[in-house]
Amino acid sequence: MKLTMIMYAYYLLFKYTAWQKEVFRQKLGERDLVLVMRARDSRIARSFIFEKGRVSSASGDRKDALCRLVWATEADGARVMMDIARGDSKALMKAVIDGRLQLEGDAMAVSWYMAAVNQLGKMYLKKKKKKE
């Protein structure tokens, strides 16, 4: 249930930011693709459709997805997505290395999506000042 809400919140953040920020709308306009996030251990899935600078989303998997982010468990997906929301730009990479996330499909599409998520983080998260 928690993963479902977090994935939906990501969709809303993508949609809101594309509406508000021209630079992000331009990023979304770089590619048209369908991406699916799902948990391997359950039926939970959400499709993200990026088309002509716009984003839409629907519950469930899609056969026409160019790529998939498959979480080992719902809990892993929720934890990592919250880490990303808190500003850990390396959370996805760490999850892949740890075996909590499996990437399927077009590697360039996954890379583009990760860059878009990182751009969101830069827009909304304040950088912590280093202590000198």
Side-chain angles (χ1 to χ4, degrees):
M1 181 70 156
K2 187 175 181 180
L3 179 59
T4 301
M5 292 187 302
I6 294 169
M7 288 190 299
Y8 187 71
Y10 265 75
Y11 156 65
L12 292 176
L13 182 61
F14 266 84
K15 189 161 188 75
Y16 174 78
T17 306
W19 175 59
Q20 288 290 312
K21 310 270 186 187
E22 175 64 28
V23 67
F24 192 67
R25 203 167 30 255
Q26 289 174 358
K27 176 67 178 170
L28 296 185
E30 291 175 2
R31 279 201 83 127
D32 289 350
L33 71 96
V34 176
L35 174 136
V36 171
M37 277 192 225
R38 63 190 272 311
R40 186 178 335 135
D41 69 341
S42 73
R43 296 178 149 229
I44 291 177
R46 176 155 290 277
S47 302
F48 295 83
I49 301 96
F50 300 95
E51 188 173 35
K52 296 179 180 147
R54 296 182 182 194
V55 61
S56 59
S57 183
S59 180
D61 203 335
R62 286 184 46 150
K63 294 184 191 287
D64 63 340
L66 282 178
C67 56
R68 286 181 176 75
L69 280 68
V70 182
W71 304 105
T73 66
E74 291 178 45
D76 285 333
R79 190 174 318 114
V80 173
M81 291 183 80
M82 288 305 296
D83 288 347
I84 293 166
R86 289 183 190 109
D88 184 353
S89 62
K90 304 228 185 273
L92 280 175
M93 186 185 336
K94 290 177 201 171
V96 171
I97 292 168
D98 294 344
R100 293 179 289 152
L101 175 62
Q102 181 179 355
L103 306 174
E104 298 177 353
D106 183 336
M108 292 306 291
V110 172
S111 178
W112 175 86
Y113 174 76
M114 292 168 83
V117 169
N118 284 335
Q119 186 173 358
L120 278 175
K122 289 175 185 172
M123 293 173 140
Y124 290 108
L125 298 172
K126 294 181 181 177
K127 290 190 176 188
K128 295 177 184 174
K129 292 183 179 179
K130 293 181 182 179
K131 293 181 181 179
E132 295 186 57

